[in-house]
Amino acid sequence: MKAPRVTLDQWRTLQAVVDHGGFAQAAEALHRSQSSVSYTVGKMQEQLGIALLEIEGRKAVLTEAGEVLLRRSRELVSRASQLEQFAHTLDQGWEAEIRLVVDAAYPTERLAAALQAFMPQSRGCRVQLREEVLSGVEERLIGGHADLAISGLSITGFLPQQLNTVTFIAVANPQHPLHQLQRQPGVQDLEQHLQVVIRDSGQRQPRDTGWLGAEQRWTVTSLSTAAQLVASGLGFAWLPLQQVEQLIASGRLLPLPLPEGGRREHSMFLYSARDRQPGPATRILADLLISHSNA
């Protein structure tokens, strides 16, 4: 790629001439001589091989090509300024990226509220968000692949920060046989029917949390798939309330009238990487995740 012939300083000079209404005014604003400003713009036109300004009376106005190039140059200069500012924040220890790993059962609304609040404070720091199930979060954290992690598990060797609980609810399609018993279903009733279970995304020691030992078990990899299967009449499942509220409201799912355990509250915890101190951006995001955990 050829090196650009026109510098950012030249684009800034042209912008100053237009924004301040002339060469003399631009020279004053830039604390330069008028001859220096005139030379810079003239050299710029020569390098580009195109006229950017034309004289009308005593005033220099943009040509049609000049208007187009000036408009695009503003974005270029702005991005360059942002890049310089970002380099300054990195020099102060500000992170370029935060790796956030979240259990898929964690309510999206809470997560979105925290990330939305983080955006204006991020200073260009990217967030790499990854969803895992059960021990998948633990493995990413222990393996050093997460700066922050939200999990419902107690992870040995890490100090957790308590977040608000997540509600799981036992549901099935209203036409499912468990809803036709004319009584409260018991454990033996549940064991006779298909249970839909979410696969643990961990590889080392996957868990069957929530499985009752039913004769038939279908395992899926996502909560949304599980919700749709159960809503279609295929079995029952314990699913996060935030995942199934609309399906319940629309009548496609109905909570099972279990005598106990039909509604479960699961604790959620926020963890930080233990092999390094969190940087300023990570600390800000962690505080926002905590404060928005009840969004």
Side-chain angles (χ1 to χ4, degrees):
M1 181 182 293
K2 293 176 60 177
R5 289 174 291 180
V6 178
T7 66
L8 289 173
D9 177 68
Q10 287 176 299
W11 287 118
R12 289 192 181 101
T13 302
L14 176 65
Q15 291 173 15
V17 171
V18 174
D19 293 342
H20 294 284
F23 289 94
Q25 296 89 331
E28 183 177 353
L30 295 174
H31 305 290
R32 292 164 57 178
S33 67
Q34 183 174 341
S35 60
S36 171
V37 171
S38 298
Y39 175 81
T40 298
V41 175
K43 185 66 175 178
M44 182 181 185
Q45 296 181 106
E46 178 184 327
Q47 290 169 317
L48 292 173
I50 190 172
L52 302 175
L53 296 169
E54 57 187 8
I55 304 300
E56 291 186 359
R58 293 187 174 183
K59 189 174 182 181
V61 297
L62 286 167
T63 63
E64 185 175 342
E67 289 182 359
V68 174
L69 292 174
L70 179 68
R71 184 167 59 250
R72 296 199 176 189
S73 75
R74 292 191 189 281
E75 181 180 354
L76 176 66
V77 171
S78 175
R79 287 183 178 274
S81 297
Q82 291 172 8
L83 183 61
E84 292 174 1
Q85 179 61 36
F86 185 50
H88 177 65
T89 59
L90 290 177
D91 183 56
Q92 294 180 319
W94 197 268
E95 304 92 308
E97 181 179 80
I98 299 173
R99 297 168 299 173
L100 173 62
V101 182
V102 180
D103 191 293
Y106 191 73
T108 304
E109 291 83 355
R110 302 182 193 177
L111 183 60
L115 292 175
Q116 185 175 18
F118 176 70
M119 182 63 185
Q121 305 180 56
S122 65
R123 300 187 190 178
C125 176
R126 301 188 305 270
V127 175
Q128 183 185 119
L129 175 63
R130 183 186 181 103
E131 285 190 325
E132 297 283 351
V133 177
L134 294 172
S135 69
V137 179
E138 181 180 21
E139 288 184 8
R140 300 295 298 180
L141 184 63
I142 292 176
H145 304 299
D147 301 304
L148 293 172
I150 295 177
S151 173
L153 302 177
S154 177
I155 303 177
T156 303
F158 291 83
L159 294 176
Q161 173 67 50
Q162 178 81 51
L163 301 178
N164 278 21
T165 60
V166 173
T167 301
F168 282 74
I169 188 167
V171 290
N173 183 278
Q175 303 306 314
H176 191 277
L178 288 171
H179 281 302
Q180 313 305 317
L181 295 174
Q182 305 300 317
R183 58 177 172 81
Q184 291 181 317
V187 174
Q188 292 182 340
D189 297 310
L190 296 177
E191 289 176 345
Q192 300 307 310
H193 293 277
L194 171 70
Q195 182 178 358
V196 178
V197 179
I198 312 301
R199 183 188 304 278
D200 188 331
S201 63
Q203 301 298 315
R204 297 174 184 173
Q205 293 181 322
R207 309 182 187 191
D208 286 328
T209 302
W211 181 45
L212 290 177
E215 186 68 24
Q216 298 182 73
R217 176 180 66 167
W218 283 13
T219 304
V220 299
T221 58
S222 76
L223 290 165
S224 60
T225 298
Q228 292 300 323
L229 288 178
V230 176
S232 69
L234 291 172
F236 69 95
W238 271 268
L239 295 170
L241 181 58
Q242 58 98 15
Q243 287 274 350
V244 297
E245 281 180 316
Q246 292 186 354
L247 290 171
I248 292 174
S250 66
R252 295 186 62 198
L253 284 178
L254 184 65
L256 288 170
L258 302 179
E260 56 186 13
R263 189 182 181 100
R264 303 171 178 174
E265 298 293 330
H266 287 258
S267 296
M268 283 286 171
F269 305 96
L270 176 66
Y271 296 92
S272 298
R274 64 182 176 185
D275 58 345
R276 58 193 174 279
Q277 287 294 320
T282 301
R283 290 195 296 270
I284 290 173
L285 180 56
D287 289 341
L288 290 170
L289 289 168
I290 294 168
S291 64
H292 287 84
S293 71
N294 62 347

